[in-house]
């Protein structure tokens, strides 16, 4: 997966232009049972990566299942001896895209709690943080400031967008400081390790496969998307398109919502005024309840639904008994870059691409995850992975 991203650099500007459209004109679906032609590789769809991620969903990760943030799927271990720092007490510098949505807020709390543990152990002396507020230019400046300060033992980056942040990440790598990238990718393999759950293809496929399985051919699906230009989100939609193609499902449109609940409700209401919507596919669960409320307001039956492991949605799922699935982009990944950075500074091996497990929550385990998170606030994410940290549960409850 790492090498294939390099070929995409020159296409970034094209994507941003194409992504400005907020809906697609529906096209006729292939008859059920027909084999659709294979999609050609493009900026956000690489067949080899897609096939690999879908296969990785059924693979058993290496490592302790009780610590999924340290597990790895198909790891290629690399030597980090050249980065070994004697004495511990490291200065870690973190450039964060933002904490602009509940998923990121939940992860940020988990990360801070992991940092506190490693400060107590003496592995971390100082943890410096910059937040770009989803502004690419701000994040580029933040990373440049860390590089120019020349006193970070490791730089951790969660990129705002994929192509635009690539040169800044490359510059950080060129400084000689070990760089750790996580969550969203960039179009360079220079980081010591790139940490992420299986990926956007797997998320999008989990959601689309569920809808195809639970809807008859000819039924209509509306896709709700957050924003364009981010690899994990674009990959989710690319996987969904691949699965919907030839299924007999009609995709009414795909709409960018910014994760805004009011906008989601308005978009869904407009589609319901035009006719039936039988299924909702989302590339992230923010605002899922707002979509369901649009059906309630219109007096329409609930759709088959793919959301995410945010508790607002999961509790609504339980309350209404809808047919649903919660794909997961494992929030516990926010622990891994902190642990990876300290491992690198100890000269320990890490995976070049650290692929974490990513299993959706289904109706079979809904009650279990609701019980585990019974005291957590609505905007919390069920697979946050912080139950063993000293701040549990108050740090996540008192956000």
């Amino acid at each position: 997966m790492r090498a294939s991203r390099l070929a995409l650099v020159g296409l970034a500007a094209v994507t941003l232009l194409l992504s400005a459209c907020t809906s697609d004109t529906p096209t006729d679906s292939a008859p059920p049972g027909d084999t659709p032609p294979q999609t050609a590789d493009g900026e956000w769809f690489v067949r080899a990566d897609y096939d690999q991620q879908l296969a990785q969903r059924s693979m058993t990760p290496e490592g302790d299942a009780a610590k999924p943030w340290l597990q790895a799927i198909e790891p290629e271990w690399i030597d980090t001896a050249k980065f070994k720092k004697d004495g511990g007490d490291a200065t870690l510098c973190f450039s964060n895209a933002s904490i602009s949505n509940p998923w990121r807020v939940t992860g940020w709390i988990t990360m801070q709690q992991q940092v506190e543990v490693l400060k107590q152990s003496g592995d971390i002396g100082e943890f410096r943080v910059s937040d770009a507020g989803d502004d690419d230019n701000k994040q580029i400046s933040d990373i440049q400031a860390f590089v120019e300060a020349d006193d970070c033992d490791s730089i951790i980056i969660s990129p705002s967008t994929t192509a635009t942040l690539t040169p800044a990440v490359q510059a950080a790598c060129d400084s000689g400081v070990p760089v750790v990238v996580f969550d969203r990718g960039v179009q360079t393999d220079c980081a010591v390790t790139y940490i992420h759950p299986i990926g956007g293809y797997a998320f999008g496929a989990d959601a689309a496969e569920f809808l195809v399985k639970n809807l008859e051919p000819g039924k209509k699906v509306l896709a709700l998307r957050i924003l364009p230009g981010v690899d994990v989100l674009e990959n989710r939609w690319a996987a969904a398109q691949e699965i919907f193609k030839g299924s007999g499902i009609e995709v009414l449109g795909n709409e960018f919502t910014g994760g805004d609940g009011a906008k989601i409700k308005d978009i869904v209401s407009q589609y319901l005024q035009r006719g039936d919507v039988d299924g909702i596919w989302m590339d992230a669960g923010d605002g899922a309840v707002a979509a369901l409320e649009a059906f309630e307001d219109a007096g329409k039956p609930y759709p088959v639904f793919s959301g995410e492991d945010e508790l607002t949605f999961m509790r609504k799922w339980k309350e209404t008994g809808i047919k649903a699935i919660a794909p997961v982009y494992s929030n516990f990944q926010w622990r891994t870059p902190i642990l990876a950075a300290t491992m690198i500074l100890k000269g320990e091996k890490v995976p070049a691409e650290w692929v974490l497990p990513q299993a959706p929550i289904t109706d079979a385990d809904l009650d279990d995850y609701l019980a585990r998170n019974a005291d957590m606030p609505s905007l919390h994410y069920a697979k946050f992975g912080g139950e063993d940290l000293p701040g549990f549960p108050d740090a996540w409850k008192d956000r």
Side-chain angles (χ1 to χ4, degrees), residues 14 21 38 64 71 262 358:
V14 176
C21 299
Q38 286 202 339
D64 185 353
Q71 289 187 300
Q358 177 183 323

Side-chain angles (χ1 to χ4, degrees), residues 182-257:
F182 83 102
D183 172 26
R184 301 163 176 173
V186 287
Q187 294 166 340
T188 173
D189 293 340
C190 71
V192 178
T193 183
Y194 168 40
I195 298 162
H196 59 92
I198 293 172
Y201 295 122
F203 186 109
D206 284 340
E209 288 170 350
F210 182 82
L211 291 171
V212 169
K213 180 180 178 180
N214 288 281
L215 290 171
E216 297 292 331
K219 295 296 185 180
K220 300 175 182 179
V221 168
L222 173 62
L224 300 175
R225 305 171 62 191
I226 297 293
L227 73 160
V230 176
D231 60 350
V232 295
L233 300 177
E234 295 285 1
N235 292 161
R236 291 175 190 184
W237 177 232
Q241 289 177 293
E242 184 69 7
I243 288 165
F244 288 141
K245 181 179 61 182
S247 69
I249 298 297
E250 179 183 350
V251 178
L252 294 170
N254 72 93
E255 302 282 351
F256 289 112
T257 69

Side-chain angles (χ1 to χ4, degrees), residues 268 272 277-278 280 290-303:
V268 175
L272 288 171
V277 178
D278 306 298
I280 295 287
L292 290 168
E293 289 173 347
F295 284 84
E296 293 171 345
D297 292 350
K300 299 280 190 177
Y302 289 120

Side-chain angles (χ1 to χ4, degrees), residues 110-179:
T110 300
M111 176 181 276
Q112 291 177 88
Q113 292 302 307
Q114 181 64 74
V115 167
E116 288 305 311
V117 171
L118 293 170
K119 281 186 174 181
Q120 291 296 318
S121 68
D123 291 296
I124 297 176
E126 187 176 356
F127 184 51
R128 300 178 188 168
V129 181
S130 62
D131 189 302
D134 292 318
D135 184 326
D136 285 348
N137 292 327
K138 171 70 163 60
Q139 189 166 30
I140 290 167
S141 297
D142 291 342
I143 294 170
Q144 184 178 6
F146 283 147
V147 171
E148 292 177 351
D150 196 29
D151 56 359
C152 299
D153 292 307
S154 179
I155 299 176
I156 299 167
I157 302 170
S158 177
S160 176
T161 58
T162 300
T164 308
L165 266 294
T166 295
V169 173
Q170 184 66 56
C173 294
D174 292 344
S175 74
V177 172
V179 172

